Amino acid sequence: MSVKLGNILVTGTAGFIGNHVAHRLLQAGHRVVGLDNFDPFYDPQLKHARIRRLGGFDRFQFHELNLQDRDGMAALFANGQFSHVVHLAGQAGVRYSLENPFAFADSNMVGFLNVLEGAAKTGVQHLLYASSSSVYGANTKMPFAESDVTDHPVSLYAASKKANELMAHVYSHQHGLPATGLRFFTVYGPWGRPDMALYKFTRAIVEGTTISLHEGGRMSRDFTYIDDVVEAIMCLIPLAPAPSQSDASDRPDISHVAAHRVLNIGNDKPISVATYLALIEEKLGRKANVREVAMTSGEVMATWADISALKQATGFAPMTQIVDGVGRFVDWYLEYHG
């Protein structure tokens, strides 16, 4: 059944994933309201450049606003008449959560509560929100499935994302708010974040500086290309979940007491960080200067997404080959930085 989309709120439109989602929605002819606060966690100039990508669409409105601004967020929802919300704003960074824990409480907890309140009180038809593969924490069973226990986070960032899933479930149960948590697995691609490995490695090779390679690159990640992530979200927006009519044992991604689910948004093809680096070296035609360092507290050795629930819900599976995705990023990087 076709679902009519009205005004769509995309939070974090100056961020990496949020900007790509807003751009894709606008290209498809939808009305998008964007929100961001240009947090200086990384270069605000990059964030402003992303917003300029959206400036040519007359169906785009932008609000510079903090998620923690309770009155501002309430007014945004009261006036916005949003049919759908894609909440991608928030404080990211496993390592950064060791340095500035209060930023994660403010943005990912208080800020998300304001989004839930606004969505529940204004009758939003479907809330999609960013979770993370980090919720799997100390799990060692591979690949990670949505039915796995996620009670052992190893970073405050992971704990905040697990808390988001619990909060969304409560609001879905108590207020009938359909919600989908998106467990992203190491998203990469053009316009990416400077604190992520792809950006840092490319910059270091271009500038001739040294890369600190954790565990000698033996760590592996389920790198997921941005266009595949966006396509998965586009498929999911009109597919609001409903409570399962069973005890949910046969559909572990669907709650049996609430219209809430969590889904892995991954590639199902993990590779080592050393291989990832080698692809960047090959694309640039030069070798990296590397020094081996120990793994940072709060990180895990491997991630790997079981995406069978995503495929069942949408019929979609990522298609971008890692060599192509890395190449597109490097091309963008060289163009953007001149």
Side-chain angles (χ1 to χ4, degrees), residues 98-138:
L98 297 171
E99 304 169 18
N100 192 359
F102 291 100
F104 291 80
D106 293 340
S107 182
N108 295 1
M109 304 288 286
V110 176
F112 187 52
L113 182 59
N114 287 332
V115 171
L116 289 170
E117 275 286 298
K121 289 181 177 178
T122 58
V124 166
Q125 297 174 31
H126 189 192
L127 165 67
L128 298 94
Y129 65 93
S131 185
S132 169
S133 62
S134 66
V135 301
Y136 291 106

Side-chain angles (χ1 to χ4, degrees), residues 25-294:
L25 284 166
L26 290 165
Q27 285 182 320
H30 299 294
R31 295 188 302 275
V32 175
V33 175
L35 176 153
D36 211 288
N37 70 341
F38 299 104
D39 183 90
F41 168 56
Y42 61 81
D43 184 12
Q45 292 186 20
L46 175 58
K47 298 183 178 185
H48 283 283
R50 292 183 184 131
I51 291 296
R52 288 195 292 273
R53 296 179 69 219
L54 309 178
F57 295 94
D58 57 12
R59 296 177 303 279
F60 178 65
Q61 295 180 4
F62 179 73
H63 296 265
E64 185 171 352
L65 183 66
N66 280 320
L67 293 174
Q68 304 95 292
D69 182 346
R70 186 187 302 181
D71 293 338
M73 291 293 291
L76 177 70
F77 274 93
N79 298 326
Q81 298 181 319
F82 305 124
S83 67
H84 295 74
V85 175
V86 186
H87 174 55
L88 301 170
Q91 184 59 62
V94 169
R95 296 170 192 168
Y96 188 60
S97 66
L98 297 171
E99 304 169 18
N100 192 359
F102 291 100
F104 291 80
D106 293 340
S107 182
N108 295 1
M109 304 288 286
V110 176
F112 187 52
L113 182 59
N114 287 332
V115 171
L116 289 170
E117 275 286 298
K121 289 181 177 178
T122 58
V124 166
Q125 297 174 31
H126 189 192
L127 165 67
L128 298 94
Y129 65 93
S131 185
S132 169
S133 62
S134 66
V135 301
Y136 291 106
N139 288 16
T140 56
K141 172 191 143 300
M142 296 287 175
F144 296 148
E146 294 88 345
S147 56
D148 294 344
V149 175
T150 53
D151 292 341
H152 306 97
V154 293
S155 70
L156 186 62
Y157 170 65
S160 73
K161 289 301 178 181
K162 174 64 176 178
N164 285 172
E165 295 179 0
L166 298 174
M167 294 163 69
H169 187 274
V170 168
Y171 267 74
S172 180
H173 176 59
Q174 292 187 342
H175 301 282
L177 173 65
T180 299
L182 308 169
R183 290 179 175 173
F184 294 126
F185 281 71
T186 317
V187 184
Y188 74 100
W191 297 98
R193 283 170 28 204
D195 63 305
M196 298 292 284
L198 181 55
Y199 209 120
K200 291 166 68 175
F201 290 174
T202 302
R203 172 180 286 165
I205 295 171
V206 169
E207 297 179 354
T209 57
T210 300
I211 292 171
S212 296
L213 195 60
H214 294 254
E215 299 297 321
R218 291 180 293 277
M219 298 165 68
S220 67
R221 293 290 181 265
D222 197 351
F223 296 101
T224 312
Y225 189 63
I226 183 62
D227 288 1
D228 291 325
V229 169
V230 172
E231 189 59 34
I233 292 173
M234 292 293 291
C235 291
L236 286 166
I237 287 174
L239 300 178
S244 172
Q245 298 305 307
S246 68
D247 64 359
S249 60
D250 59 332
R251 298 178 68 195
D253 60 310
I254 300 293
S255 167
H256 67 286
V257 297
H260 176 265
R261 66 184 168 197
V262 292
L263 291 170
N264 289 337
I265 311 296
N267 192 40
D268 191 24
K269 295 181 179 67
I271 65 168
S272 71
V273 175
T275 300
Y276 196 51
L277 175 58
L279 291 172
I280 304 169
E281 292 175 322
E282 182 178 356
K283 175 66 179 179
L284 287 170
R286 65 184 79 171
K287 300 293 289 184
N289 300 316
V290 174
R291 68 183 180 96
E292 184 173 344
V293 297

